[in-house]
Amino acid sequence: MKNLNAFFKQNSKLIIDFWVNQVVWSVVGLMVSWPMSMMLNKDPNYSLYMGLAAAFTAGIFWFRIYDILNQHGLKYAIRKSKSSGEGSQIPSDSFGLKIGLLSYAPTILLILIFVVFSLINLENGQAIMAAVIYMVPIHSMYNAGWLALSGFDEIVLVIYTLLTILPIPFFAWLGYYLGVRDKGVIAREKVNKE
């Protein structure tokens, strides 16, 4: 626990940046999904349009997380190229994964509670957790996908919600992994200007 607190304090700027982006893109997810849902609810291609909206809002959030950690890794790549082999101060390749999991831990916990409530068939708890996850600006960048699947069986919604955990740790890991290796054209241009 002591190591976790130290890691959190040392990387609090990154984690707070992650949370700010999560809230911003959750609000955008709500701003896109609700009007589209109301306008297109009678359209025969409703699920397709809502799926595309979810891909848009979630995709931009994934890119933002990738970009944040890519830029962070790129700073280490620049430091590594300027120093004479002093790589001991550079975090390991799993740094991005750790940041992604730690930053996303509250959301992951909410999703796991939702899954448990679904498995034990606690309908009120499941409905409350679904509202918290998809209506409060926490995980709402996936709201359009939830609405696209609303006509499917309950298990499909549970699997969808569970699968939404996976992209963020992956893109956080990938962003840092490529950044520390001086990859990622967009980030390289930004850092070189600083």
Side-chain angles (χ1 to χ4, degrees):
M1 190 68 163
K2 188 176 178 182
N3 290 343
L4 186 63
N5 284 338
F7 184 81
F8 184 86
K9 286 178 185 175
Q10 187 177 12
N11 299 292
S12 61
K13 183 184 179 308
L14 259 180
I15 293 168
I16 289 170
D17 199 15
F18 181 102
W19 288 340
V20 167
N21 275 281
Q22 183 177 357
V23 169
V24 166
W25 289 106
S26 289
V27 169
V28 171
L30 292 172
M31 291 170 60
V32 168
S33 64
W34 285 353
M36 280 187 68
S37 178
M38 287 186 250
M39 289 187 307
L40 301 172
N41 66 352
K42 303 285 187 208
D43 194 293
N45 293 321
Y46 174 80
S47 291
L48 172 67
Y49 294 139
M50 295 308 286
L52 291 172
F56 170 74
T57 56
I60 292 176
F61 178 55
W62 298 343
F63 175 75
R64 281 298 302 141
I65 298 310
Y66 166 86
D67 190 46
I68 290 167
L69 281 144
N70 187 260
Q71 289 181 51
H72 187 76
L74 189 59
K75 291 175 186 174
Y76 287 113
I78 291 169
R79 186 182 305 166
K80 188 169 36 174
S81 68
K82 290 181 181 180
S83 68
S84 57
E86 278 190 36
S88 62
Q89 296 177 356
I90 297 174
S92 69
D93 289 344
S94 64
F95 176 80
L97 180 63
K98 290 175 188 173
I99 289 291
L101 287 172
L102 181 62
S103 302
Y104 215 46
T107 306
I108 292 170
L109 180 63
L110 291 173
I111 290 170
L112 293 177
I113 291 170
F114 167 77
V115 169
V116 168
F117 285 170
S118 299
L119 292 175
I120 63 173
N121 204 20
L122 187 62
E123 291 179 20
N124 289 341
Q126 180 185 8
I128 290 169
M129 291 310 298
V132 167
I133 292 169
Y134 290 108
M135 300 297 199
V136 176
I138 295 171
H139 198 63
S140 306
M141 67 287 289
Y142 298 102
N143 189 34
W146 173 270
L147 293 171
L149 298 172
S150 60
F152 288 82
D153 282 343
E154 195 68 35
I155 191 68
V156 173
L157 293 170
V158 172
I159 291 170
Y160 170 77
T161 303
L162 199 54
L163 289 176
T164 59
I165 292 174
L166 302 177
I168 295 307
F170 171 74
F171 284 109
W173 168 80
L174 183 65
Y176 178 76
Y177 182 83
L178 293 177
V180 84
R181 285 163 176 74
D182 197 18
K183 307 281 186 209
V185 175
I186 294 170
R188 188 179 311 122
E189 290 173 1
K190 289 179 183 176
V191 172
N192 285 342
K193 289 178 183 177
E194 290 178 357

